[in-house]
Amino acid sequence: MLTLWFALLVNAALVQEDGAAAQAPDAKAEITAACEALCKLDSYAFELKIESSGGRGGSRAPQAIVGRFQKDKPFHFVQGDVEAYRLGETLVYREGEGEWQVFDPDAARGEFGQPRPGGPGGGGQGAEPGAGQGEGGAPGAGAGEGAGAGAGGAPGAEGAGRSGQGERGGRRSFGPFILSRVKVPHEVLKDFGGQIAEAAREEAEGKVTYKGTLTAAAAEAFAPQARGWRPGGGGEGEQAPAPQVTGTFLITLSDQGAIESIVFETHLSMTAGERAIERTQKHAYTLSNQGAVEIEVPAEVLPHFEM
């Protein structure tokens, strides 16, 4: 009888443990659902701050881009004194109170460095997410250290720092180049569940935070410098090891359950000849006015779009 009673107790404990496990939140599934909800929004505003450190030039001051999205309207961006509207592959911009003009990507490629393709998608509305950018740029696929950009990317931090200068000082602005390729939050988070390697859920002060690691492919896509470097040889027939890239994410939900901030951070480690290179990049999005943004495109801009 005692043996039977003990067996029943053990069985009850196992049933209770299984039930608790079944009720435990699945962090990856939850954050995937939150990302899908954001991708269905008709409108929102956001600010993107980009920081980078390491590599050539050390730490860089954060670069800030303010953007607005409304379904079926051009994106609206402001970076420094550069204002732009983007629809598909067409970007119309002005610097300060200057005239509105169409950005010429072919001319920019020749001036800022030929982009290398890489990573999923380009920078237009509805483009695939997940690609990185040139150092200090915005999510997309980038080129080499501190220069150039790839599909969906932006030029390097050194170039981003000159945004808004236009022809002053004999240098063109990198602002339009960056804004032609920057990815907005719903582009970055599309199919994000497939880019998560591990995820954990935390609760504090009524808000839920998800943090975790990116898959190797996603981390490399968010770190374009990994593609900008080409392994060189240390001697005849010898090739330098490929860059090692890791990535993390931190996504916070408001007390209403909507995504209010997104942070991606990547770390690259590699060698070039006898030089060891370490580089970290952070992209921090803050969302606001979800479902309440209305974009009015200036009359002078409209003729440049096929709407």
Side-chain angles (χ1 to χ4, degrees), residues 129-156:
Q133 77 296 326
E135 183 179 2
E145 185 175 12

Side-chain angles (χ1 to χ4, degrees), residues 37-38 41-45 254 258-261 287-293:
L38 185 144
L41 288 174
D42 288 334
S43 68
Y44 59 81
S254 69
I259 292 178
E260 66 177 17
S261 66
L287 287 92
S288 60
N289 296 333
Q290 298 185 29
V293 169

Side-chain angles (χ1 to χ4, degrees), residues 74-132:
F75 295 134
H76 179 229
F77 300 117
V78 175
Q79 185 190 34
D81 67 351
V82 177
E83 180 181 13
Y85 291 87
R86 192 182 79 199
L87 183 64
E89 297 298 319
T90 302
L91 180 90
V92 181
Y93 75 99
R94 68 176 178 179
E95 298 183 56
E97 297 300 318
E99 303 226 347
W100 292 99
Q101 55 187 304
V102 177
F103 174 67
D104 183 349
D106 292 329
R109 287 188 184 101
E111 184 166 357
F112 300 148
Q114 178 63 38
R116 299 185 186 97
Q125 187 164 351
E128 299 264 333

Side-chain angles (χ1 to χ4, degrees), residues 2 17 26 67 85 130 148 152 159-160 199 201 218 244 246 251 256 265 274 286 298:
L2 182 61
E17 183 178 340
D26 183 337
Y85 291 87
R201 181 183 191 273
Q244 300 298 308
T246 58
I251 298 178
Q256 302 298 314
E265 187 165 321
E274 298 182 354
T286 303

